[in-house]
Amino acid sequence: MGTKSALHRIAALAVTGLVVTVGAVSCTSTEFIQEPPGQPSDRASGAVPAGAIGVCKREGTKRPPVVSEKLWEHAKPCTTKTPEKYIRLGYSDKEDPGVEQQNEQILAALREGPKEDGGNNQFVAMLRGVRQRSLDIPTLRYRVSRDSTSAGACDFTYMLNTMGKSREKIERDACTAEVFDPEERKEVCLFDKPEGLWLTSGWACLMNVRALGSDQSCHRLCAYDDYCARQVSCAGADIDLLLCSMGVCLPEQTGLY
């Protein structure tokens, strides 16, 4: 019995050694496969990342007078594959032969608009002409406000002046609207002219959400001034029309009409 037990112990040790040897060999032969690089981030590839606003430029059009020249150069042409939520940039004197003169009139009215003494009257007079001409232009006709319930003219001067001052306190940033530049691969300011910045001082409330902003955002930009807030519904569609008249066309905003 003693001899058999000894043999059994020897056999067991041999098997254990074999297992250890195999295990050691297996560990040393482990290989790690080199994985290929993952997909680049949206920003790295030049694609518009989630949450950012994309732009494209319409073929055969000119740069809008209030839009950054660098952004215009970097913007890719609009195609049938361009997402509907992108802002279309560019105006055409072929679609509207009098657009150059109209742009000058709009800019002149925008420069006068912030003046508390008579600024709103000049702005509204200019707007009436833009509305009338836009009815004959297919790309603008549907943007003309069909709201006839408002009593009298909107007070653009009071609303935009109030919003502009409130924005400065809230954001401390001159830029009113940021869009994604595919060349710079970052958000840049859409507007680079004082006239455009004043007109879009309520962008976060009126435009950026593709419809009327929430009561909270509008009241906040209005510094919780009820009179200013009442002008939001009155003025929103006309600001949208003016921007598109100058070649900054946002997606159709059915909430404005």
Side-chain angles (χ1 to χ4, degrees), residues 170-213:
I170 296 171
E171 301 183 20
R172 299 185 183 279
D173 184 0
C175 183
T176 56
E178 290 187 337
V179 296
F180 190 75
D181 185 319
E183 293 292 330
E184 297 283 346
R185 298 182 181 180
K186 64 180 182 180
E187 280 85 4
V188 300
C189 198
L190 175 58
F191 305 104
D192 67 348
K193 295 287 191 300
E195 298 89 344
L197 294 172
W198 181 74
L199 180 63
T200 59
S201 56
W203 178 276
C205 164
L206 290 163
M207 302 296 162
N208 199 20
V209 291
R210 304 289 181 260
L212 286 177

Side-chain angles (χ1 to χ4, degrees), residues 54-58 61-75 87-91 103 107 110 175-181 188-197 199-200 203 242-250:
V55 297
C56 66
K57 53 185 174 185
R58 297 169 55 222
T61 60
K62 299 181 179 181
R63 179 176 65 88
V66 293
V67 167
S68 161
E69 185 173 347
K70 181 182 290 187
L71 176 64
W72 172 256
E73 293 175 355
H74 292 173
I87 298 174
R88 267 65 179 173
L89 301 177
Y91 69 90
N103 280 341
L107 291 175
L110 289 176
C175 183
T176 56
E178 290 187 337
V179 296
F180 190 75
D181 185 319
V188 300
C189 198
L190 175 58
F191 305 104
D192 67 348
K193 295 287 191 300
E195 298 89 344
L197 294 172
L199 180 63
T200 59
W203 178 276
L242 284 178
L243 285 171
C244 196
S245 297
M246 290 187 288
V248 183
C249 294
L250 279 69

Side-chain angles (χ1 to χ4, degrees), residues 56-208:
C56 66
K57 53 185 174 185
R58 297 169 55 222
E59 184 178 359
T61 60
K62 299 181 179 181
R63 179 176 65 88
V66 293
V67 167
S68 161
E69 185 173 347
K70 181 182 290 187
L71 176 64
W72 172 256
E73 293 175 355
H74 292 173
K76 297 180 180 179
C78 302
T79 69
T80 55
K81 295 182 179 180
T82 302
E84 293 182 2
K85 63 181 181 180
Y86 277 35
I87 298 174
R88 267 65 179 173
L89 301 177
Y91 69 90
S92 171
D93 51 12
K94 293 181 179 179
E95 295 176 356
D96 180 8
V99 67
E100 299 286 6
Q101 182 180 0
Q102 177 176 269
N103 280 341
E104 293 177 4
Q105 294 171 348
I106 292 175
L107 291 175
L110 289 176
R111 285 190 287 270
E112 296 295 316
K115 298 179 180 179
E116 295 181 3
D117 184 13
N120 196 63
N121 290 337
Q122 294 187 53
F123 187 97
V124 172
M126 171 273 296
L127 184 57
R128 289 197 186 101
V130 172
R131 284 181 190 156
Q132 190 61 43
R133 294 186 72 255
S134 297
L135 291 173
D136 297 325
I137 303 171
T139 56
L140 295 175
R141 186 183 302 133
Y142 77 92
R143 292 181 183 267
V144 178
S145 175
R146 294 185 286 274
D147 180 13
S148 59
T149 61
S150 58
C154 304
D155 196 339
F156 293 92
T157 295
Y158 186 88
M159 184 189 78
L160 295 178
N161 281 352
T162 303
M163 285 184 165
K165 294 175 183 177
S166 180
R167 272 195 73 263
E168 291 179 1
K169 294 179 180 179
I170 296 171
E171 301 183 20
R172 299 185 183 279
D173 184 0
C175 183
T176 56
E178 290 187 337
V179 296
F180 190 75
D181 185 319
E183 293 292 330
E184 297 283 346
R185 298 182 181 180
K186 64 180 182 180
E187 280 85 4
V188 300
C189 198
L190 175 58
F191 305 104
D192 67 348
K193 295 287 191 300
E195 298 89 344
L197 294 172
W198 181 74
L199 180 63
T200 59
S201 56
W203 178 276
C205 164
L206 290 163
M207 302 296 162
N208 199 20

